[in-house]
């Protein structure tokens, strides 16, 4: 296929996409509207694509005025600026030529031509500034609105990844951050470990002191975990009274040491109900620790951490167990055989 044929085929595809979106948005297929959304699908104007994406994600209604403003700011003005720059370059060449001729023979006519050319440039610039003042003000308002919408989107994204009760990462954020950490580990070859931390006998706290006391314990656990991790470590509420900690560049034995520190810190706490001023007393946690094996599905590491946590629970609670402890029964069976 020739370059011309490829260009024509691409143009037909872009035109169909443009007309389809214009119909979906319920606006007229005017030249201005068509130009705006053709440029959008062409993806050669990043600012225009960003502006339209933000407006569409916020369900903003499009009309001829909105499209006209987008056209003025992102389609027409860059082309006008390019034209102005071309004309300016031509004028500069002409002026340089006139000056060169004037320096050679001192003809006053050339000097008059220079003055006329400069006056024409200044007049055109002043006229352009006056004509665009109102448009610039309106475009500044649109730009401010786009910035506000972008900030709102960022805020909404952060809220969607944050646990409302504790303010730390939620399960969705945990899944995303664990994937990112695993990708970094695959690239660097560094270790990656994780903890699953569960509050022991949490149901008793809710039953004995009420759900507000339970929420207080959950917040206390989030603060305790956050204070005990550092750097790139990530703490998340995994679900209910269960928490997860992602530990990049951390070996299994180091993760186990951190888990023991967390267990001791929690065990040393004396908790008093904020709502009823009742002594809740000691709380403890059980922890499961696992380490990522390069290339394995992340679900397998999470499963090993969960199995180690179950082992800590079944072993009497207030314990730390690692994936290595899961192999002990197998070793004993092999020894007997």
């Amino acid at each position: 296929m020739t370059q011309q044929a490829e260009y024509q085929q691409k143009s037909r595809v872009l035109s169909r996409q443009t007309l389809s979106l214009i119909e979906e948005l319920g606006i007229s297929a005017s030249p201005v509207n068509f130009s705006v959304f053709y440029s959008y699908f062409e993806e050669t104007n990043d600012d225009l694509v960003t502006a339209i994406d933000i407006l569409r994600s916020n369900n903003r209604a499009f009309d001829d005025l909105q499209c006209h403003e987008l056209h003025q700011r992102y389609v027409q003005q860059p082309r006008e600026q390019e034209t102005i720059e071309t004309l300016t370059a031509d004028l500069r060449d002409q002026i340089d030529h006139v000056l060169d001729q004037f320096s050679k023979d001192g003809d006053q006519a050339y000097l008059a031509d220079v003055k006329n050319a400069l006056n024409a440039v200044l007049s055109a610039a002043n006229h352009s500034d006056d004509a665009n003042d109102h448009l610039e003000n309106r475009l500044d308002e649109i730009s401010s609105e786009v910035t506000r919408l972008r900030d709102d989107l960022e805020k909404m994204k952060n809220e969607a990844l944050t646990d409302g009760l504790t303010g730390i990462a939620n399960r969705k954020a945990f899944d995303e951050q664990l994937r990112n950490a695993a990708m970094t580990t695959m690239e660097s070859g560094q270790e990656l470990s994780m903890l699953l931390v569960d509050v022991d006998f949490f149901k008793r706290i809710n039953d004995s002191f009420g759900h507000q006391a339970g929420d207080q314990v959950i917040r206390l656990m989030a603060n305790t975990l956050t204070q005990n991790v550092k750097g790139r470590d990530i703490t998340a509420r995994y679900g209910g009274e269960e928490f997860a900690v992602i530990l990049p560049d951390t070996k299994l034995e180091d993760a186990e040491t951190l888990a023991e520190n967390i267990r001791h810190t929690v065990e040393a706490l004396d908790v008093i109900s904020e709502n009823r001023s009742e002594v809740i007393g000691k709380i403890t946690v059980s922890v499961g620790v696992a380490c990522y094996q390069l290339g394995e599905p992340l679900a397998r590491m999470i499963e090993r951490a969960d199995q180690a946590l179950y082992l800590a629970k079944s072993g009497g609670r207030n314990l730390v167990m690692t994936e290595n402890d899961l192999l002990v029964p197998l070793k004993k069976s092999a020894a007997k055989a």
Side-chain angles (χ1 to χ4, degrees), residues 153-177 218-219 222-223 226 234-239 243:
L153 283 176
E154 188 66 26
K155 181 179 179 181
M156 290 170 61
K157 180 182 177 181
N158 291 334
E159 290 176 350
L161 298 175
T162 302
D163 177 62
L165 178 61
T166 63
I168 63 175
N170 59 15
R171 175 64 180 273
K172 181 179 179 180
F174 166 80
D175 292 338
E176 181 179 311
Q177 293 293 338
I218 294 297
R219 289 192 295 269
N223 291 334
T226 301
I234 300 166
T235 301
R237 189 178 180 190
Y238 195 70
F243 296 83

Side-chain angles (χ1 to χ4, degrees), residues 232-247:
R232 295 178 295 165
D233 301 343
I234 300 166
T235 301
R237 189 178 180 190
Y238 195 70
E241 69 275 16
E242 195 169 6
F243 296 83
V245 182
I246 303 172
L247 302 170

